[in-house]
């Protein structure tokens, strides 16, 4: 029970290395603590869904769990730390979905790998709209993510799946030149200075990849938030396929859906 963990009167960090050979009580306590942390995050997510907002209060979370607000500070320093943990979880979940989609397609078909990655992104956004909003929607009022902190690292791990498709295609000699053959001077300079950019991708191709993500993200947002409901399911599928085919062509990749009837 949550109350048992909150009121057990223990002090000090749970689960720290110790020379005490009797570690079983600490192990149980650590498991209980982890379960409570998961419950806090799930309760916050449930409130976000109920209230249609990512801006939740500690007091509301505590009330839903039958606790006092100060009890939550045993697990998170403040609301920002809780939001950071939830954002990292969401990016890690998205990364896992994208990675699974990529490896399900043979590496010799970058176009189909791009389609699989895009479909996984679209499906994740559609099935988990609140977490999609948490990581890609309007900033939560008052929340500032740590600079180069865990949320930034988790986001890069997630989006590295798209980059990996392009890099693998280039290394295998299966990527042609992008439709737009050069990047603007300011963008090229920024990409050249960006420490985390993959050096194997020329600026023009990286520009095409960013435009691919922008188009994919735009479609996912429109669909997830109901702005394409005027189209039939088949119509949305066809539009999405065309979007990915356009992105593949713009990056010089093989057609992910050859023979598609226009």
């Amino acid at each position: 029970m949550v109350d048992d963990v909150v009121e057990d009167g223990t002090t000090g960090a749970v689960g720290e290395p110790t020379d005490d050979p009797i570690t079983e009580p600490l192990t149980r306590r650590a498991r209980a603590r982890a379960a409570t942390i998961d419950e806090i995050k799930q309760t916050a997510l449930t409130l976000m869904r109920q209230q249609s907002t990512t801006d939740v209060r500690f007091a509301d979370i505590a009330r839903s769990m039958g606790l006092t607000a100060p009890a939550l500070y045993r697990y998170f320093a403040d609301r920002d730390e809780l939001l950071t943990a939830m954002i990292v979880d969401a990016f890690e979940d998205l990364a896992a979905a994208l990675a699974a989609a990529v490896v399900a397609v043979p590496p010799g078909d970058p176009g189909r790998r791009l389609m699989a990655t895009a479909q996984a992104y679209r499906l994740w956004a559609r099935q988990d709209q609140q977490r999609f909003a948490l990581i890609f929607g309007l900033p939560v009022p008052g929340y500032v993510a740590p600079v180069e902190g865990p949320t930034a690292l988790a986001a890069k791990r997630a989006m590295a799946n798209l980059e990996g498709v392009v890099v693998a295609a280039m290394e295998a000699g299966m990527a042609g030149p992008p439709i737009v053959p050069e990047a603007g001077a300011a963008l090229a300079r920024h990409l050249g200075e960006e420490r985390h950019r993959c050096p194997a991708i020329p600026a023009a191709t990286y520009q095409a990849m960013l435009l691919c993500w922008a188009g994919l993200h735009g479609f996912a947002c429109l669909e997830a938030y109901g702005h394409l409901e005027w189209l039939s399911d088949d119509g949305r599928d066809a539009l999405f396929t065309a979007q990915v085919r356009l992105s593949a062509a713009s990056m010089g990749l093989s057609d992910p859906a050859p023979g598609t009837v226009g």
Side-chain angles (χ1 to χ4, degrees):
M1 296 291 292
V2 170
D3 288 342
D4 294 334
V5 178
V6 173
E7 304 297 340
D8 66 3
T10 59
T11 60
V14 175
E16 288 185 347
T18 175
D19 294 330
D20 186 348
I22 305 175
T23 59
E24 183 61 23
L26 287 177
T27 300
R28 288 199 299 268
R29 199 173 300 128
R31 289 200 301 267
R33 180 178 178 84
T36 303
I37 288 173
D38 285 342
E39 184 180 356
I40 292 170
K41 290 189 286 189
Q42 285 301 315
T43 300
L45 184 58
T46 297
L47 289 172
M48 289 178 182
R49 288 169 174 157
Q50 292 174 348
Q51 300 170 6
S52 298
T53 178
T54 54
D55 188 14
V56 295
R57 301 185 307 164
F58 256 28
D60 294 335
I61 297 170
R63 188 179 304 111
S64 294
M65 295 178 65
L67 302 174
T68 62
L72 297 187
Y73 290 96
R74 295 174 181 262
Y75 303 94
F76 294 98
D78 51 29
R79 186 203 63 160
D80 281 10
E81 187 174 84
L82 169 60
L83 288 174
T84 294
M86 294 176 67
I87 291 169
V88 169
D89 286 351
F91 272 123
E92 296 291 3
D93 191 42
L94 174 59
L98 298 181
V102 171
V103 300
V105 179
D109 196 339
R112 281 185 57 218
R113 278 197 156 189
L114 176 66
M115 178 64 78
T117 307
Q119 287 283 19
Y121 189 96
R122 175 195 184 192
L123 183 61
W124 195 88
R126 192 166 57 189
Q127 291 182 337
D128 209 340
Q129 297 173 16
Q130 201 59 57
R131 288 209 294 171
F132 186 68
L134 180 62
I135 61 178
F136 288 128
L138 291 174
V140 179
Y143 173 73
V144 179
V147 177
E148 293 300 316
T151 56
L153 295 176
K156 287 168 183 173
R157 282 194 294 271
M159 303 318 298
N161 290 281
L162 173 59
E163 185 176 278
V165 170
V166 179
V167 171
M170 294 184 65
E171 291 178 344
M174 303 180 69
I179 288 179
V180 180
E182 72 284 320
L187 178 60
R189 182 171 59 254
H190 177 82
L191 293 176
E193 296 170 351
E194 173 59 48
R195 291 178 299 154
H196 303 288
R197 186 177 73 85
C198 179
I201 305 180
T205 300
Y206 205 91
Q207 172 181 258
M209 188 176 69
L210 290 175
L211 291 173
C212 169
W213 177 58
L216 169 61
H217 182 73
F219 184 98
C221 286
L222 288 172
E223 183 176 48
Y225 303 131
H227 299 297
L228 293 179
E229 290 297 321
W230 57 279
L231 287 172
S232 66
D233 290 347
D234 289 346
R236 289 199 299 274
D237 289 344
L239 182 63
F240 182 77
T241 297
Q243 171 70 52
V244 181
R245 294 181 75 192
L246 177 63
S247 294
S250 73
M251 292 188 290
L253 301 184
S254 57
D255 190 341
T260 302
V261 177

